[in-house]
Amino acid sequence: MSHPLRAPNDAFGAFVPSAPVHATGAATGPLKGLGFAAKDLFDVAGLVTGCGNPDWAASHPPARAHAFAVQRLLDAGATLVGRTITDEISLGLLGRNQFHGTPINPRAPERLPGGSSSGSAAAVAGGLADLALGTDSGGSVRVPSSFCGLYGMRPTHGRISVAGLMTQSPSFDTVGVFARDAALLDTAYGLLLDDQAQAGKVETILVATDAFAIADAPVREALQPALAKLRALLPAEDITLSQEGLPRWAERQRRLQQAEFAVTFRDWIDAFNPRFSFEVGRGLALAALTAEMDLSAERAFRIAVRAEITDRLGGRALICLPTTPILPPLRGIPLSAMGEAGRRITELTGIAGLTGLPQISLPLGEAAGIPVGLSLIGWPGSDEVLLALAKTLAAA
Amino acid sequence: MSHPLRAPNDAFGAFVPSAPVHATGAATGPLKGLGFAAKDLFDVAGLVTGCGNPDWAASHPPARAHAFAVQRLLDAGATLVGRTITDEISLGLLGRNQFHGTPINPRAPERLPGGSSSGSAAAVAGGLADLALGTDSGGSVRVPSSFCGLYGMRPTHGRISVAGLMTQSPSFDTVGVFARDAALLDTAYGLLLDDQAQAGKVETILVATDAFAIADAPVREALQPALAKLRALLPAEDITLSQEGLPRWAERQRRLQQAEFAVTFRDWIDAFNPRFSFEVGRGLALAALTAEMDLSAERAFRIAVRAEITDRLGGRALICLPTTPILPPLRGIPLSAMGEAGRRITELTGIAGLTGLPQISLPLGEAAGIPVGLSLIGWPGSDEVLLALAKTLAAA
């Protein structure tokens, strides 16, 4: 299927075709002279936010103001250079978009970039921008960070304002940033995070053996050098994260998230009967069934597991796990394989989504040249701790 | 949402934008000098059959030969003047298409044309063609015939070759024709039907009171004059068609049809992840679940009910019922209302689909200017009998 031609300066198909944006940053500030891109979910004043779907764009008015995160980066001197492709209405973890095209993974061109913040990751990995804004509800910053070999973080839920952003699943939605180096990531998050940091001192790395066991062998092996580096820095302890199994946790996380986004999009869908790729339409149709289920057990579980893990971390430990259990899938695999890949990914990315805990993905692994991310999950408010450790590891 | 501009000679938006076709008919023949249109499901040699979906068009090669029905009409002297809009991959009864646009109902412009053979009905009702080819699996010729005030017939299943036609649900799929008058309809079907006619003599009209009871009051009232005309011509008898209720029959019909089309489209969907309106994507997603159910009871029921009705008709009776229980819905109603309208329509159109019996829709009613079709269902092979009676009624 053909897609519109892109602007010639978009070598990786990262930007939304026919939706150019440009906003010059402030004359001074910590990001002066840098360029950033923003996912097609962030409002840019005066323009329609497309959210990766032409029928969304056609049924929504132009934004009246910049999204909070866009404004912050502009104020800090960065210039907005493009609007990046997202999986349709942010539903997807692999980075495909049947309307706008699937961005190229600059680090593994024959493989998918990961999503839903696919274009943001491709733009940064391909050098089209220094920084890019994404969102992460179920893994949408962490997965493309891992697949494209970037630093990226899902912050503690609630610590970065989602003002001016398309809502997907309010109790899951977060704002994230991609960068090629840890120092710039730290600077950018410093501009975005609120003042609810929870200090602590990392004394132990809890290596989630069940999370590593779920991962494919090439992913596990690719992460051994980074794990050794981490162990050299801090004492490590092997743990089992989930007694009932990460697949079961992920199932609960998916149900809760489905029930939320089914409600988010229900009235719009009913009014406009929009077009979606089959994958996304099916996801929405099945989510509508989930939304009618009794999810009280899932809600209770969510509260309990968040408390349990927070307690376990106690302001002095971090959980270490692979960001995703698989390498980026090849482009053009069938839908059935996509579904299976997505399901497996949520077995690891669902943990932070379910608990609201911050998780940073570090581009410290490689399998035959293909990037593999290592993740650290911290206690609520430990975002700054994770960013600092990323810098230490990068320098080590 | 905007749709591409149409050719200026397409006043009712009946033809697929950017897919013009033209094939001149034979110099002589019973249809000499007439123009016909063909639904976007019929092959025209050398061109891609779009089936109402741009991703279908992009993933299929040009047709090597004309479809059987197209060839027959060309051979009879009719000229093919256009390719008409269909609901995506023929799934829909209301005539909406979010890619190609929804044709105008020339007889009730603020209302839907009915589908899935929407453009064929609009083209004939609007005078853009004398005849048009459609298909009817679950009601796709009968519904737009009723909504647009046309003659149209679902033939006995199997009596008109489906060669060169997109498959939807093989045990339901039929070819149909639309015309503004009964005589021309008869001529066209004479060219298409095989030699398996089953003669008989109509002695009684069985008025299906349960079918009339399901219909909205304006539909029931609009059909009283036509019913009186019919009663003046032939003895009539009130019957209850379904002891367990037509809604239950329709549910079984829908399940069987869903299970078939889920299989038909499964591999194509898996390979291409095509785009659909939410309505169609959801229908396909839920049909895939139905296809995994045990439908042996539905299959047994289908055989039994076909035998029961065939026996009841006995080569000497026809069933009379409203073609649809509702007036054509207004354009732009929400998806939820669309779904409810579709469900109600199948309570009447499902009967012939389930049993494979022929059903003709006659444009003999009107509710405040809005067309309302009256239907007659005959025994297997009674197509010619139905066509003859339509002519008699038109002359009466």
Side-chain angles (χ1 to χ4, degrees):
Chain A
M1 281 153 237
S2 66
H3 294 105
L5 286 174
R6 294 160 200 305
N9 62 344
D10 183 7
F12 301 100
F15 299 126
V16 180
S18 331
V21 300
H22 188 93
T24 307
T28 58
L31 302 180
K32 180 170 161 17
L34 299 182
F36 77 102
K39 187 179 187 178
D40 191 17
L41 256 54
F42 287 83
D43 281 353
V44 177
L47 301 175
V48 174
T49 309
C51 300
N53 182 283
D55 291 340
W56 181 283
S59 56
H60 285 80
R64 274 182 281 189
H66 292 327
F68 165 83
V70 169
Q71 188 66 60
R72 279 291 168 111
L73 299 190
L74 288 171
D75 290 347
T79 288
L80 176 62
V81 301
R83 190 190 283 286
T84 53
I85 290 174
T86 169
D87 288 48
E88 294 168 57
I89 58 171
S90 79
L91 300 181
L93 288 172
L94 297 175
R96 303 214 304 177
N97 187 308
Q98 297 288 73
F99 295 95
H100 295 153
T102 297
I104 299 293
N105 182 336
R107 293 286 306 281
E110 75 289 5
R111 292 175 181 266
L112 290 166
S116 65
S117 311
S118 54
S120 287
V124 175
L128 309 173
D130 300 293
L131 285 167
L133 292 169
T135 64
D136 187 317
S137 301
S140 289
V141 164
R142 293 164 286 159
V143 178
S145 292
S146 180
F147 285 3
C148 293
L150 295 171
Y151 288 91
M153 187 173 77
R154 175 189 167 90
T156 304
H157 184 262
R159 284 204 63 199
I160 299 181
S161 167
V162 293
L165 200 56
M166 184 201 82
T167 298
Q168 188 221 85
S169 304
S171 80
F172 292 87
D173 295 348
T174 65
V175 169
V177 182
F178 297 92
R180 289 185 297 276
D181 71 90
L184 184 54
L185 196 80
D186 184 36
T187 304
Y189 273 101
L191 297 161
L192 299 174
L193 286 161
D194 68 9
D195 59 3
Q196 301 297 304
Q198 292 296 323
K201 187 178 179 326
V202 182
E203 292 166 5
T204 323
I205 299 295
L206 306 176
V207 179
T209 54
D210 46 351
F212 278 91
I214 275 177
D216 287 341
V219 169
R220 280 203 308 274
E221 286 156 24
L223 294 176
Q224 292 314 311
L227 213 47
K229 213 165 154 183
L230 196 57
R231 284 178 199 272
L233 211 64
L234 286 160
E237 183 188 324
D238 282 357
I239 62 155
T240 298
L241 192 54
S242 168
Q243 292 305 326
E244 64 173 349
L246 291 169
R248 181 80 185 101
W249 284 16
E251 198 185 321
R252 288 171 145 158
Q253 177 266 331
R254 282 195 299 267
R255 283 187 179 180
L256 288 166
Q257 193 179 344
Q258 284 169 351
E260 285 194 29
F261 70 67
V263 172
T264 299
F265 298 118
R266 188 174 53 198
D267 292 350
W268 170 63
I269 289 173
D270 195 45
F272 293 98
N273 187 24
R275 291 166 288 185
F276 300 106
S277 68
F278 179 73
E279 188 176 20
V280 174
R282 177 178 59 187
L284 287 160
L286 299 182
L289 302 181
T290 303
E292 289 174 11
M293 292 167 61
D294 175 9
L295 297 180
S296 48
E298 279 77 5
R299 286 194 194 90
F301 169 80
R302 185 181 199 180
I303 293 166
V305 78
R306 180 186 163 98
E308 179 203 314
I309 296 185
T310 301
D311 188 57
R312 203 158 170 181
L313 299 181
R316 56 183 187 279
L318 304 175
I319 296 163
C320 178
L321 70 168
T323 305
T324 87
I326 59 172
L327 295 179
L330 290 166
R331 294 172 75 91
I333 61 169
L335 191 54
S336 42
M338 295 278 172
E340 175 63 7
R343 193 192 57 68
R344 289 193 62 201
I345 290 171
T346 57
E347 291 177 6
L348 297 188
T349 59
I351 303 163
L354 193 61
T355 56
L357 300 177
Q359 177 179 347
I360 195 164
S361 182
L362 312 168
L364 302 180
E366 239 183 55
I370 299 162
V372 178
L374 184 73
S375 267
L376 295 167
I377 293 176
W379 59 87
S382 66
D383 312 72
E384 288 82 353
V385 174
L386 294 176
L387 290 159
L389 183 56
K391 287 200 287 185
T392 306
L393 269 166
Chain B
M1 285 155 234
S2 67
H3 293 106
L5 286 175
R6 294 159 200 305
N9 64 343
D10 182 8
F12 300 101
F15 299 126
V16 179
S18 331
V21 299
H22 189 92
T24 306
T28 58
L31 302 181
K32 181 171 161 19
L34 299 182
F36 78 102
K39 188 179 186 178
D40 191 17
L41 257 54
F42 287 83
D43 280 354
V44 177
L47 302 175
V48 174
T49 308
C51 301
N53 182 283
D55 290 341
W56 181 282
S59 56
H60 285 82
R64 275 181 281 186
H66 293 326
F68 165 83
V70 168
Q71 188 66 60
R72 279 289 168 113
L73 299 189
L74 289 171
D75 290 347
T79 289
L80 176 62
V81 300
R83 190 189 282 287
T84 54
I85 289 173
T86 169
D87 288 49
E88 293 167 59
I89 59 171
S90 79
L91 299 181
L93 288 172
L94 297 175
R96 303 213 304 176
N97 187 307
Q98 298 288 74
F99 295 95
H100 294 154
T102 297
I104 300 292
N105 181 337
R107 292 286 307 279
E110 76 288 4
R111 292 174 181 265
L112 290 166
S116 63
S117 310
S118 55
S120 287
V124 176
L128 309 174
D130 300 294
L131 284 167
L133 291 170
T135 64
D136 188 315
S137 301
S140 289
V141 163
R142 293 164 286 159
V143 177
S145 292
S146 179
F147 285 4
C148 293
L150 296 171
Y151 287 90
M153 187 173 78
R154 175 189 167 88
T156 304
H157 185 263
R159 284 204 64 198
I160 299 181
S161 166
V162 293
L165 201 56
M166 184 201 82
T167 297
Q168 188 221 84
S169 305
S171 81
F172 291 88
D173 295 348
T174 65
V175 170
V177 182
F178 298 92
R180 291 185 297 275
D181 72 89
L184 183 55
L185 195 81
D186 184 36
T187 304
Y189 273 100
L191 298 161
L192 299 174
L193 286 162
D194 69 8
D195 60 4
Q196 301 296 303
Q198 292 296 323
K201 187 178 180 326
V202 182
E203 292 166 6
T204 321
I205 299 295
L206 305 177
V207 179
T209 53
D210 46 352
F212 278 92
I214 275 176
D216 287 342
V219 169
R220 280 203 307 275
E221 285 157 23
L223 294 176
Q224 291 314 312
L227 213 48
K229 214 165 152 184
L230 196 57
R231 283 179 200 271
L233 210 63
L234 285 160
E237 184 188 323
D238 283 357
I239 62 155
T240 298
L241 192 52
S242 168
Q243 293 305 326
E244 64 173 348
L246 291 170
R248 182 80 185 100
W249 283 17
E251 198 184 322
R252 288 172 147 158
Q253 176 267 330
R254 282 194 300 268
R255 283 187 179 180
L256 288 166
Q257 193 179 344
Q258 284 169 351
E260 285 195 29
F261 70 67
V263 171
T264 299
F265 297 118
R266 188 175 52 198
D267 291 350
W268 170 63
I269 289 173
D270 195 43
F272 293 98
N273 187 24
R275 292 166 287 186
F276 300 106
S277 68
F278 179 73
E279 187 176 20
V280 173
R282 177 178 60 186
L284 287 160
L286 300 182
L289 303 181
T290 304
E292 290 174 10
M293 294 168 59
D294 175 8
L295 297 179
S296 49
E298 279 75 6
R299 287 194 194 89
F301 170 79
R302 186 181 199 180
I303 294 166
V305 76
R306 180 186 162 97
E308 180 203 312
I309 295 185
T310 301
D311 188 57
R312 202 158 170 180
L313 298 180
R316 56 183 188 277
L318 303 175
I319 295 163
C320 177
L321 71 169
T323 304
T324 86
I326 59 171
L327 295 179
L330 290 167
R331 293 172 76 92
I333 61 169
L335 191 54
S336 42
M338 295 278 171
E340 174 63 6
R343 193 192 57 68
R344 290 194 62 202
I345 290 170
T346 57
E347 290 178 5
L348 297 188
T349 60
I351 303 162
L354 193 60
T355 56
L357 300 177
Q359 178 180 348
I360 195 165
S361 182
L362 312 167
L364 302 180
E366 239 184 56
I370 299 161
V372 178
L374 184 72
S375 266
L376 295 168
I377 293 176
W379 60 89
S382 67
D383 311 72
E384 289 82 351
V385 174
L386 294 175
L387 290 160
L389 183 56
K391 287 200 287 185
T392 306
L393 268 166

